[in-house]
Amino acid sequence: DTTVKQNPRYKLARVGKPVNLICSQTMNHDTMYWYQKKPNQAPKLLLFYYDKILNREADTFEKFQSSRPNNSFCSLYIGSAGLEYSAMYLCASSRSGTGAFTEVFFGKGTRLTVV
Amino acid sequence: GEQVEQLPSILRVQEGSSASINCTYENSASNYFPWYKQEPGENPKLIIDIRSNMERKQTQGLIVLLDKKAKRFSLHITDTQPGDSAMYFCAASEGRIFFGDGTQLVVKP
């Protein structure tokens, strides 16, 4: 099974409320990523877990949290949603090679709408 | 992070002709360059990739070229078909994968 599963597919949230998005994979990949994608823009890397180590991008450091309770699951948490968080959130996973990266598998995404 | 520039943003071609998408990157440490195709309602899917120890790779009507000196790589689709119509993303990885803004390819019958 080479699928990355994301739940839910669609999420409606109120401004100021928390949002938690879930991702899972059963490929035993050591690395899991979260990307934010807005229309007509490239997927933007928010953060990634390499094994148990969380790496957050500098410009999104304070806006997003994540947890990875085990190898298969990874969540993306927004403490207080703002209108600007409305986007598609893509989870992805890969197995890191030595020196060079390997194929990244993407989930179908969760479309978050903040109102 | 890495900056990946992708052009054109929209590409319209006639069925049977070829299509080319060009990308540039900044970080000389980038060593892996995948290309993804995304169809409406679907997740991005890897269609071809190239590593920094190669200059050219070809598979099933797709050709990727990599010029490390110029920090430039490109995707060429030969004999385009309507089914090739989709959004295409290039990406560069130095441990984290960064994407270009995407190219909307429209193949006209």
Side-chain angles (χ1 to χ4, degrees):
Chain A
D1 183 7
T2 58
T3 55
V4 176
K5 292 185 170 58
Q6 289 189 243
N7 287 298
R9 291 293 309 277
Y10 301 92
K11 176 80 176 173
L12 185 67
R14 298 280 181 195
V15 168
K17 297 297 184 185
V19 177
N20 198 43
L21 308 179
I22 303 293
C23 178
S24 65
Q25 51 87 16
T26 54
M27 295 174 277
N28 201 31
H29 284 169
D30 52 16
T31 307
M32 295 184 75
Y33 312 78
W34 281 99
Y35 287 84
Q36 180 192 64
K37 187 175 182 320
K38 296 188 176 182
N40 303 316
Q41 293 182 17
K44 176 183 167 64
L45 180 64
L46 301 176
L47 53 86
F48 68 98
Y49 262 99
Y50 172 65
D51 196 17
K52 293 182 172 54
I53 300 169
L54 174 61
N55 299 271
R56 287 184 285 180
E57 293 299 295
D59 56 349
T60 57
F61 191 85
E62 294 177 350
K63 296 181 180 179
F64 298 93
Q65 286 283 348
S66 183
S67 68
R68 191 176 187 189
N70 56 55
N71 177 269
S72 300
F73 286 88
C74 188
S75 66
L76 181 71
Y77 181 75
I78 301 167
S80 176
L83 296 175
E84 71 278 13
Y85 287 86
S86 292
M88 176 72 83
Y89 289 85
L90 294 168
C91 175
S93 71
S94 70
R95 177 173 293 121
S96 301
T98 304
F101 244 74
T102 57
E103 181 177 354
V104 176
F105 293 84
F106 282 89
K108 293 196 174 189
T110 294
R111 184 170 297 284
L112 173 65
T113 303
V114 182
V115 296
Chain B
E2 170 71 283
Q3 280 276 94
V4 180
E5 301 290 330
Q6 181 172 350
L7 289 171
S9 54
I10 300 175
L11 179 57
R12 294 187 176 89
V13 300
Q14 206 67 41
E15 180 180 357
S17 65
S18 62
S20 296
I21 303 171
N22 299 291
C23 291
T24 58
Y25 62 99
E26 291 185 349
N27 189 345
S28 54
S30 291
N31 56 19
Y32 175 62
F33 306 91
W35 287 87
Y36 288 84
K37 177 182 180 182
Q38 184 174 24
E39 298 185 78
E42 297 293 320
N43 49 320
K45 288 187 169 59
L46 179 73
I47 54 172
I48 191 169
D49 56 15
I50 189 166
R51 299 187 188 280
S52 58
N53 59 353
M54 300 173 71
E55 293 178 351
R56 185 181 193 277
K57 186 173 178 180
Q58 180 170 358
T59 178
Q60 295 178 335
L62 303 175
I63 301 171
V64 289
L65 303 175
L66 173 63
D67 181 346
K68 285 178 292 184
K69 227 178 215 180
K71 294 182 187 170
R72 187 167 53 214
F73 58 114
S74 56
L75 172 69
H76 306 271
I77 306 173
T78 59
D79 188 24
T80 53
Q81 300 298 311
D84 294 324
S85 296
M87 181 69 83
Y88 290 80
F89 292 98
C90 66
S93 173
E94 32 79 306
R96 302 166 294 172
I97 290 196
F98 294 92
F99 289 84
D101 284 343
T103 295
Q104 183 68 51
L105 174 64
V106 179
V107 180
K108 296 175 284 185

